[in-house]
Amino acid sequence: MSSTGVSLSARQIVSKIIVYAILGIGSIVILLPLQWMISTSLKPLSHVFRFPPEFFPQQVIWQNYPDALSQLPFDLYFRNTLVIVILCLIGEVLVSSVVAYAFSRLRWRGRNTLFIVVLATMMLPRQVTLIPEFLIFRELGMIDTFGPLILPSFFGNPFYIFLLRQYFLTHSRELDQAAVIDGCSRFGVFWRITLPMSKPVLAAVAIFSFQFHWNDFFRPLIFLFSADNYTLALGLRFFQGTYGTEWNSLMAVSLVVMLPLIIVFFFTQKYFIQGVVFTGYK
Amino acid sequence: MTLPLRRFRLTWQQGEVVLAWAMVSPWLAGFLLLTAFPMVASLVISFFEWNLLSPPEFVGLAHYNKLFFSDPLPMHSLKITVIFSLASIPLNIVFGLAIAMLLNTNIRGLAVFRTIYYLPAILSGVAVAILWQWIFSSDFGLLNTALRIFGIEGPAWLGSKVWVLPAFVIMRLWSVGGGMVIYLAGLQAIPTDLYEAAEIDGANWWQRIFRITLPMLSPTIFFQLITGVIFSMQIFTETFIMTDGGPANASLFYLLYLYRQAFQNFKMGYASALAWVFFVAVLLLTLILFATARFWVYYEAESAEDN
């Protein structure tokens, strides 16, 4: 890369070592909270409060996991969360890409004006409209149902509309026109050409949506009340309220709640990072 | 040949407009029902006293008067939320940039480092808040245990009026990787001939950073700043789980106060006034940032921009 050729000078070697050292220490600092979490989750409660604390558990109690998870119906919370997350994901990916297509590949008057409105709503903190939204869903009799959590996703999400539009704009219009001449309908162009060509960004949107709704706490807290409807986030909050100082159980359950997200991240991180880059870099 | 083509194009264009409106209609309906109408409605509700049980009662500007002058908590919570944001956002940008620059020096294992640094950025919500509550525990927590190795006796982070805000800033710094990935992509897109030319002209490392790297990254940094403000101002779950606003309201972030008024005290009118003030505050902060943009955000001449 640099013009000095094959051999590195002593100064370059030293600076390389410093860079690796800083990045290595940084990595440890980043991973330490997770290591601490795993370590605490496997300790007996008496060792959790031992001073000075142990970084690695001297006694490993795997039984902490089944014990903690059987305190509350976490399987039910898991199913509830999954239903909400999957329906939100379908709604957001499908509707946002339909809307983004109109904002990028079709020509019509008012397009730019309306797109500015999309950008403006992207900046709007959703809590500002929360109280009337709560009252609307109350009128509809949907409080303490999944409705208020799922339905908004089927109106599309401004952030994902923006993301998908930027991606669709990079496709050539000639391809669309060629397909129409070959007898493809307008909607067919979207469905058979644009969408299949946009798999990476669709994957990114799907992952973002999954991540957001999996972690979401604020809206379930406001719209769900009965324990049968709890999501994992609400269940975890309830668990914390009941077993507040049993840190080994709390860490075990918290880790189990995080785990699906970590697994999804490891298998899809290519799309994840591509998507993040696509949002922020521009 | 020309005649059928022209007829085809006419119907194509008309059809295109109809299809376009059909395709944006879900978003448009959502915007009208769940954004535009609620915006207006919350402004109207803010002029009423309403607990959902008895009919709303018009009180004029009383809620705004209370919010700014008689109830000390809204302005206190707005102040600490802004202080938290002013500390958290620059630190995240500086550390994110620094890590990205280190990763952009032709090192081996780039993908591994990137995965490690990015991992915490995907995690948030209740589980993370509970983890950090435990990390900040004064006697048995990870942070004070680590500090003791260096002979420092750390404070009772979440129990201290002074240290509770720094604790939240530290926690948010854990997800520094979110911005880092974006800066890294930005750095990789800077043409290397710029640096080569600068090197020939005798520019040193600092000059290259301040004259090339930062100006070229400034649009990216600006975008992170704007989204950072909107994101940090909305801090809620962490304080709800970890401190419940304490000690002595030292971590009573704005949305926690709004939540209590709306969904614990059922003061819908007062909470709506709080929501509108929050909206204006966030809007003002973003507008101030946009106003500063022309002094430091560098946009390349509009050349290869248009597709």
Side-chain angles (χ1 to χ4, degrees):
Chain A
M1 181 82 212
S2 69
S3 50
T4 45
V6 196
S7 64
L8 292 167
S9 70
R11 209 180 123 255
Q12 278 171 315
I13 292 171
V14 170
S15 66
K16 270 270 135 100
I17 291 172
I18 293 173
V19 168
Y20 280 113
I22 296 173
L23 287 174
I25 293 168
S27 303
I28 293 171
V29 171
I30 288 280
L31 291 177
L32 216 50
L34 292 175
Q35 190 277 337
W36 181 251
M37 188 176 206
I38 297 167
S39 155
T40 305
S41 74
L42 293 170
K43 288 177 188 174
L45 193 60
S46 57
H47 288 215
V48 169
F49 296 110
R50 192 176 264 190
F51 194 87
E54 314 151 346
F55 276 100
F56 295 94
Q58 284 179 353
Q59 202 184 332
V60 173
I61 316 274
W62 290 103
Q63 189 60 30
N64 281 349
Y65 280 81
D67 283 354
L69 289 168
S70 59
Q71 304 285 347
L72 288 176
F74 281 105
D75 52 338
L76 174 69
Y77 306 156
F78 179 75
R79 278 200 304 276
N80 289 344
T81 309
L82 214 56
V83 167
I84 294 169
V85 164
I86 288 175
L87 288 175
C88 285
L89 188 152
I90 293 171
E92 279 173 351
V93 171
L94 211 65
V95 177
S96 302
S97 52
V98 168
V99 177
Y101 185 80
F103 275 120
S104 54
R105 315 293 304 169
L106 301 178
R107 288 182 186 165
W108 44 289
R109 269 176 58 187
R111 183 174 89 160
N112 292 343
T113 318
L114 277 186
F115 190 66
I116 290 169
V117 179
V118 173
L119 293 181
T121 52
M122 232 169 92
M123 303 262 193
L124 181 78
R126 274 190 81 181
Q127 290 82 0
V128 178
T129 55
L130 187 72
I131 290 164
E133 204 188 327
F134 178 82
L135 298 173
I136 291 170
F137 284 118
R138 188 166 161 266
E139 280 306 306
L140 296 173
M142 284 193 188
I143 300 301
D144 203 22
T145 70
F146 297 161
L149 304 173
I150 295 166
L151 278 181
S153 294
F154 283 84
F155 294 113
N157 173 311
F159 182 68
Y160 304 144
I161 293 171
F162 170 73
L163 198 65
L164 288 157
R165 172 190 176 264
Q166 299 301 94
Y167 196 87
F168 293 165
L169 278 176
T170 61
H171 298 171
S172 88
R173 208 178 146 82
E174 280 75 35
L175 194 68
D176 295 10
Q177 281 161 350
V180 169
I181 289 165
D182 287 349
C184 196
S185 73
R186 294 174 203 88
F187 194 78
V189 173
F190 164 69
W191 195 251
R192 293 206 208 98
I193 297 177
T194 308
L195 282 191
M197 279 173 71
S198 310
K199 277 180 192 148
V201 71
L202 290 172
V205 167
I207 299 160
F208 286 151
S209 169
F210 178 84
Q211 179 200 13
F212 178 82
H213 294 288
W214 188 269
N215 287 332
D216 192 21
F217 175 64
F218 193 65
R219 289 179 68 87
L221 176 70
I222 281 159
F223 288 112
L224 300 178
F225 297 106
S226 46
D228 285 348
N229 288 333
Y230 275 8
T231 60
L232 280 172
L234 288 178
L236 192 53
R237 156 73 186 152
F238 185 67
F239 188 76
Q240 182 216 24
T242 320
Y243 305 90
T245 53
E246 289 180 22
W247 287 106
N248 51 355
S249 312
L250 275 166
M251 289 300 111
V253 179
S254 298
L255 194 66
V256 170
V257 169
M258 282 181 186
L259 209 58
L261 208 53
I262 296 176
I263 292 169
V264 167
F265 170 66
F266 274 111
F267 284 104
T268 61
Q269 57 163 316
K270 191 180 114 200
Y271 296 115
F272 227 118
I273 287 174
Q274 263 178 6
V276 173
V277 167
F278 204 75
T279 28
Y281 173 61
K282 166 73 196 154
Chain B
M1 186 63 209
T2 43
L3 193 66
L5 192 68
R6 190 187 291 161
R7 201 160 61 206
F8 160 71
R9 282 187 57 158
L10 200 71
T11 53
W12 163 253
Q13 275 167 1
Q14 285 170 336
E16 193 163 352
V17 172
V18 173
L19 181 69
W21 283 98
M23 286 177 100
V24 292
S25 62
W27 166 77
L28 198 60
F31 169 73
L32 294 174
L33 282 169
L34 293 179
T35 307
F37 169 70
M39 285 292 286
V40 178
S42 72
L43 188 63
V44 173
I45 295 170
S46 76
F47 300 126
F48 287 84
E49 184 80 58
W50 191 17
N51 63 5
L52 295 181
L53 298 173
S54 43
E57 182 194 336
F58 185 75
V59 293
L61 290 171
H63 286 144
Y64 292 93
N65 189 43
K66 179 181 173 191
L67 194 160
F68 286 112
F69 303 112
S70 62
D71 181 358
L73 287 177
M75 285 304 116
H76 163 77
S77 59
L78 187 61
K79 192 179 89 188
I80 61 161
T81 310
V82 171
I83 291 173
F84 162 75
S85 302
L86 288 180
S88 172
I89 299 165
L91 280 174
N92 272 292
I93 290 178
V94 168
F95 277 93
L97 271 172
I99 299 166
M101 284 177 185
L102 289 174
L103 286 176
N104 196 37
T105 51
N106 282 318
I107 53 153
R108 281 159 184 247
L110 173 71
V112 176
F113 280 125
R114 194 175 58 183
T115 303
I116 292 173
Y117 282 100
Y118 188 65
L119 177 63
I122 63 159
L123 306 170
S124 67
V126 181
V128 172
I130 292 177
L131 167 60
W132 281 89
Q133 194 185 357
W134 175 228
I135 288 173
F136 286 128
S137 157
S138 58
D139 291 333
F140 309 103
L142 170 65
L143 186 57
N144 282 354
T145 304
L147 287 174
R148 259 176 234 122
I149 296 173
F150 302 99
I152 302 166
E153 192 52 48
W157 294 92
L158 301 178
S160 152
K161 279 203 289 190
V162 179
W163 289 102
V164 69
L165 284 189
F168 281 102
V169 172
I170 291 170
M171 182 187 63
R172 279 284 167 95
L173 214 45
W174 194 41
S175 46
V176 67
M180 178 274 296
V181 178
I182 295 167
Y183 302 128
L184 184 60
L187 287 172
Q188 286 167 342
I190 299 176
T192 47
D193 52 345
L194 280 179
Y195 291 106
E196 280 156 18
E199 212 155 347
I200 291 165
D201 290 344
N204 65 31
W205 186 81
W206 282 108
Q207 284 170 324
R208 292 202 298 268
I209 296 278
F210 281 98
R211 298 281 167 78
I212 300 174
T213 312
L214 291 180
M216 292 294 284
L217 273 187
S218 58
T220 310
I221 297 172
F222 180 65
F223 185 78
Q224 287 298 301
L225 205 55
I226 298 286
T227 49
V229 166
I230 296 166
F231 176 65
S232 327
M233 291 291 288
Q234 295 186 47
I235 181 167
F236 174 80
T237 303
E238 291 93 331
T239 174
F240 187 89
I241 297 291
M242 293 161 69
T243 59
D244 198 22
N249 294 328
S251 62
L252 183 70
F253 291 113
Y254 197 86
L255 285 185
L256 180 60
Y257 190 65
L258 194 159
Y259 167 82
R260 285 183 183 170
Q261 294 302 327
F263 299 104
Q264 286 180 345
N265 303 339
F266 295 102
K267 293 185 173 171
M268 292 297 155
Y270 190 44
S272 296
L274 286 167
W276 259 87
V277 169
F278 182 68
F279 168 60
V280 172
V282 174
L283 189 69
L284 276 179
L285 280 175
T286 27
L287 286 180
I288 291 170
L289 288 176
F290 269 105
T292 67
R294 65 194 176 98
F295 298 111
W296 64 277
V297 181
Y298 169 81
Y299 285 103
E300 272 181 282
E302 317 268 305
S303 53
E305 279 293 295
D306 297 353
N307 53 313

